Amino acid sequence: MTGPDAATAVTACGEAAKAAAPRLAAAPAEAVDAALDGMARLLAEAAPAVLSANAADVAAGEAAGLGRGLLDRLALGEARIAEMARQISLLAGAPFPPARRRLRDLPDGLFLDERRVPVGVIGANYEARPNVTVDVASQLLKSRNAGVLRTGAAALRSAVALFDHVIVPALTGAGLDPAALQLVRSADRQAAVELVSRPGLIPLVILRGSGDTTRSLAAEAARHGVRTLAHADGGGVLYLDRGADPALAAELISGSLDRLGVCNRLNLLLVHAGAWDQLVAVAEEALRARGVAASMPPHEHPLGHEWALDAGREATVTVAPVDGPAHAAAIANQETSGLAASVVTTDVHAAREFLDAYAGTGAFWNASTRLLDGFKLRGVPETGINVDHVPGPRGPVTFEDLCLRQYVITPADGSGGPPSRS
């Protein structure tokens, strides 16, 4: 498609979603959860059609030379579809946050409440991850926000199948307007730029994907006054302290590399210099068992280089020595995205020193950074992981975060009449 066609497609999706947004915002909880239950059921029923479309995407990706990491993200399979359905079923059963809560009494017989208000229309741009289509759609639905989703060409067939066979029928079956959730059916990369260029239609966009692309889109959005929740970079950090249990260290290294294409996998392994020989031997054995290479010092790349996005070299972990917990935390703060870091040690003081010094989104002790995930941490799917160092939703962003805060002042007696004055 050409640029103007991409612009037309995004505009049409935004206008349709905006028109349907007020009805979704007022939808009863029972209808919203019924639509989510329908999505879970239809994922199972429509698995053959979805898997067929996904197989075509994977075959095209292989032919185009996509790396192991991207192909891992792209592929679905029956097990992943079943897990998607399970998570949506649990989301349907998750309680809605209170729409309104009392904050305090004000002078002159007034009350101050805080109310949660849907954003309206939220956009989402993501790359070769078909499961994100369902994750984001379900989160928007649960938060009563309309949405415009756009994925890259690599996963477009899968996304279309999920919309046509799962999302749209589920909304319709629950009595909701299916126009509330839109998919930009264009393989043109310009569609991503168009998505972040319409503050009147799509005021907030969730950005997921490779660092350079996401940063470029975030900058473009800022020029147009569109707010973003951007997840540009990832890469988990594991610090093996002098007091690390070798068996646990090996277990966590292996468990952190079960998937090479995800952002919360092990990317940088820091080892206390005082136990370097012993612990590096443990680490190298664990890496070899996973078929992963160790990038040892001296390094010809930044310490925080994200291997998951390095096509052809995804099966790599950077290994470097540090002087202790504070030094390890400083490197994790300065050299990585701040996604997540874990300390492995039996020394309580060393663990506290590391946890107190690390400023990233997720800080763990004797645990894998793979736990930094919306479902694993909060029990519901995520729209993405926000690593910004500013106020606002941070870490795994779920439906509870996709709202605006509104202050409401009412008379204490609830009558709406003039407040009594003393």
Side-chain angles (χ1 to χ4, degrees), residues 257-270:
L257 294 167
D258 60 326
R259 293 184 63 189
L260 298 178
V262 292
C263 65
N264 55 14
R265 55 156 279 190
L266 174 59
N267 189 66
L268 172 60
L269 181 64
L270 301 175

Side-chain angles (χ1 to χ4, degrees), residues 12-62:
C13 288
E15 289 175 344
K18 185 174 182 178
R23 294 188 292 277
L24 180 57
E30 294 78 11
V32 171
D33 284 344
L36 291 170
D37 281 328
M39 288 171 61
R41 174 178 53 80
L42 289 166
L43 269 171
E45 294 178 3
V50 173
L51 288 174
S52 176
N54 183 247
D57 279 337
V58 172
E62 290 174 340

Side-chain angles (χ1 to χ4, degrees), residues 230-410:
H231 176 194
D233 301 284
V237 179
L238 195 65
Y239 163 55
L240 306 185
D241 184 59
R242 182 159 42 192
D245 175 79
L248 179 59
E251 178 184 334
L252 292 177
I253 291 170
S254 178
S256 297
L257 294 167
D258 60 326
R259 293 184 63 189
L260 298 178
V262 292
C263 65
N264 55 14
R265 55 156 279 190
L266 174 59
N267 189 66
L268 172 60
L269 181 64
L270 301 175
V271 180
H272 195 297
W276 174 263
D277 290 340
Q278 176 195 10
L279 293 177
V280 165
V282 170
E284 288 182 324
E285 182 177 351
L287 292 173
R288 278 195 300 271
R290 279 290 189 186
V292 174
S295 173
M296 304 297 290
H299 303 100
E300 298 179 351
H301 54 79
L303 286 181
H305 177 74
E306 190 174 357
W307 296 105
L309 303 178
D310 193 336
R313 298 199 296 172
E314 299 94 340
T316 310
V317 167
T318 300
V319 182
V322 292
D323 295 334
H327 187 205
I331 288 178
N333 288 336
Q334 296 164 14
E335 302 291 339
T336 78
S337 69
L339 179 78
S342 180
V343 52
V344 184
T345 187
T346 58
D347 184 334
V348 174
H349 298 292
R352 293 300 178 195
E353 184 178 1
F354 179 86
L355 296 175
D356 289 345
Y358 179 60
T361 299
F364 306 131
W365 177 11
N366 287 346
S368 169
T369 58
R370 290 281 280 123
L371 292 174
L372 192 75
D373 170 85
F375 189 77
K376 292 175 182 176
L377 282 186
R378 300 179 62 179
V380 292
E382 65 188 31
T383 64
I385 300 176
N386 187 28
V387 296
D388 287 347
H389 292 267
V390 295
R394 191 165 183 243
V397 176
T398 73
F399 74 94
E400 295 185 7
D401 304 304
L402 301 177
C403 68
L404 303 174
R405 181 171 61 183
Q406 181 185 56
Y407 291 113
V408 180
I409 294 177
T410 59

Side-chain angles (χ1 to χ4, degrees), residues 148-298:
V148 177
L149 281 62
R150 184 265 167 190
T151 188
L156 187 54
R157 296 180 188 86
S158 302
V160 168
L162 288 166
F163 252 83
D164 290 349
H165 295 287
V166 177
I167 295 170
V168 170
L171 288 167
T172 303
L176 300 177
D177 187 349
L181 294 176
Q182 297 283 325
L183 176 68
V184 179
R185 302 183 183 222
S186 169
D188 191 341
R189 291 184 179 181
Q190 180 64 22
V193 177
E194 302 295 339
L195 186 68
V196 299
S197 304
R198 286 160 174 71
L201 285 178
I202 312 169
L204 173 66
V205 179
I206 298 163
L207 299 176
R208 295 182 62 167
S210 63
D212 290 342
T213 298
T214 297
R215 282 188 288 273
S216 174
L217 289 173
E220 182 70 18
R223 284 193 287 271
H224 291 277
V226 172
R227 301 296 298 272
T228 59
L229 288 173
H231 176 194
D233 301 284
V237 179
L238 195 65
Y239 163 55
L240 306 185
D241 184 59
R242 182 159 42 192
D245 175 79
L248 179 59
E251 178 184 334
L252 292 177
I253 291 170
S254 178
S256 297
L257 294 167
D258 60 326
R259 293 184 63 189
L260 298 178
V262 292
C263 65
N264 55 14
R265 55 156 279 190
L266 174 59
N267 189 66
L268 172 60
L269 181 64
L270 301 175
V271 180
H272 195 297
W276 174 263
D277 290 340
Q278 176 195 10
L279 293 177
V280 165
V282 170
E284 288 182 324
E285 182 177 351
L287 292 173
R288 278 195 300 271
R290 279 290 189 186
V292 174
S295 173
M296 304 297 290

Side-chain angles (χ1 to χ4, degrees), residues 81-99:
I81 287 183
E83 179 61 17
M84 289 160 61
R86 185 180 78 89
Q87 292 189 16
I88 293 175
S89 293
L90 292 173
L91 177 62
F96 290 85

